[in-house]
Amino acid sequence: MTTSEKPDLAGERSDYIGGRLIEADAPDEPWSLFDAWLAEAFAARDDGYLSEPTAMSLATAAIDADGHARPSVRTVLLKGSGDGAISWFTNYESRKGVELAANPYAAVSLLWAPLHRQVRMTGKVERVDPEESREYFASRPRGAQIAARSSAQSRVVAADALAERVAAETERWEGRDVAWPEHWGGYRMAPEAVEFWQGRPDRLHDRLIYRRVGGAWSRARLAP
Ligand SMILES: Cc1cc2nc3c(=O)[nH]c(=O)nc-3n(C[C@H](O)[C@H](O)[C@H](O)COP(=O)(O)O)c2cc1C
Ligand SMILES: Cc1ncc(COP(=O)(O)O)c(CN)c1O
């Protein structure tokens, strides 16, 4: 179709023909399966048919004055996984930062569309150690460091004002390391539930959910 035609939204669908995800092959805990799926997503990226393997949707929910939880969702990059938790980095004063300060429970979803796979996690979020944030910040490209210092993420901004901030910060740090700003750092979530979804023909997908109770994981199959 050409870009001037309206896409047929209702008629758009793909058939999923991935492998099975069955209990006999699945581990007792979610992390080895998550690592295996991540490795396959990176391999697909290397082979050129999947992009942004670490992109994940992050949902937070603020309770408004009327008592209703109002979810908000955005994409962030998964930056760490290990010791029973995942992590990402952002501006603590952003909308998501403000919402997490008020309500630390969040949900994430990773979609690896070419592999017909999705992983969802829910749980409590906390800030990582400032030292870890400082270290990760130091590893980022200089342009991204300057941007993090210059941008009051999620606030209304004039394009000119942002460009001026970037120019000022660029000049300020010329010839030396860009200092880590304390309002920018990591969050970690030790999920209490992790769901793996493998697309199957006729929408009869495989879904396995792991739930953590204390230190132990239970596993169950969910209807597609
Ligand atoms: C692929 C992709 C990756 C992104 N990664 C991040 C990230 O790691 N950290 C971040 O703060 N924003 C990231 N963003 C921008 C966020 O989606 C969002 O615009 C920003 O964090 C402000 O969100 P908030 O106003 O809800 O706090 C990314 C956007 C995209 C499309
Ligand atoms: C605003 C923002 N912050 C952080 C990130 C994460 O990027 P990096 O890999 O440079 O830490 C992104 C990635 N798109 C972003 O858009």
Side-chain angles (χ1 to χ4, degrees):
M1 66 174 279
T2 67
T3 50
S4 59
E5 284 170 54
K6 197 167 156 47
D8 174 14
L9 301 182
E12 172 61 22
R13 53 179 63 82
S14 302
D15 280 328
Y16 305 126
I17 49 162
R20 295 296 311 264
L21 173 60
I22 55 174
E23 286 82 341
D25 301 330
D28 294 336
E29 46 68 44
W31 295 109
S32 48
L33 187 55
F34 185 61
D35 288 347
W37 280 25
L38 255 184
E40 287 173 35
F42 271 75
R45 193 278 313 271
D46 292 346
D47 291 343
Y49 66 91
L50 186 155
S51 61
E52 302 264 28
T54 62
M56 63 180 189
S57 301
L58 164 69
T60 53
I63 316 291
D64 272 358
D66 63 5
H68 291 292
R70 289 216 166 57
S72 65
V73 63
R74 78 291 289 154
T75 312
V76 296
L77 297 183
L78 173 69
K79 289 292 175 180
S81 152
D83 296 329
I86 58 166
S87 58
W88 62 89
F89 290 83
T90 190
N91 186 313
Y92 289 139
E93 294 164 3
S94 65
R95 175 170 180 179
K96 70 184 93 52
V98 170
E99 292 188 357
L100 284 169
N103 172 16
Y105 289 90
V108 304
S109 173
L110 292 114
L111 170 66
W112 294 309
L115 299 175
H116 307 154
R117 283 177 175 169
Q118 170 183 254
V119 176
R120 299 164 62 178
M121 302 187 190
T122 52
K124 196 170 180 182
V125 175
E126 59 183 24
R127 292 185 183 192
V128 304
D129 283 345
E131 184 54 21
E132 189 179 333
S133 294
R134 198 195 57 71
E135 262 175 40
Y136 176 67
F137 183 84
S139 79
R140 301 180 79 214
R142 195 174 177 86
Q145 294 175 332
I146 297 279
R149 292 197 64 97
S150 307
S151 167
Q153 193 178 56
S154 314
R155 311 258 172 83
V156 172
V157 68
D160 287 355
L162 180 61
E164 280 165 24
R165 279 288 310 235
V166 170
E169 289 290 324
T170 303
E171 197 182 312
R172 177 175 175 194
W173 300 103
E174 205 184 315
R176 56 197 176 117
D177 289 346
V178 180
W180 164 62
E182 281 182 23
H183 65 266
W184 196 94
Y187 287 103
R188 69 192 292 279
M189 172 200 276
E192 52 203 17
V194 182
E195 183 201 316
F196 296 86
W197 182 99
Q198 174 74 64
R200 298 283 302 150
D202 299 325
R203 308 306 194 223
L204 293 171
H205 317 301
D206 285 329
R207 300 176 65 190
L208 292 185
I209 186 162
Y210 292 80
R211 289 197 183 85
R212 182 167 54 86
V213 185
W217 288 97
S218 68
R219 192 184 62 197
R221 173 169 292 270
L222 297 179

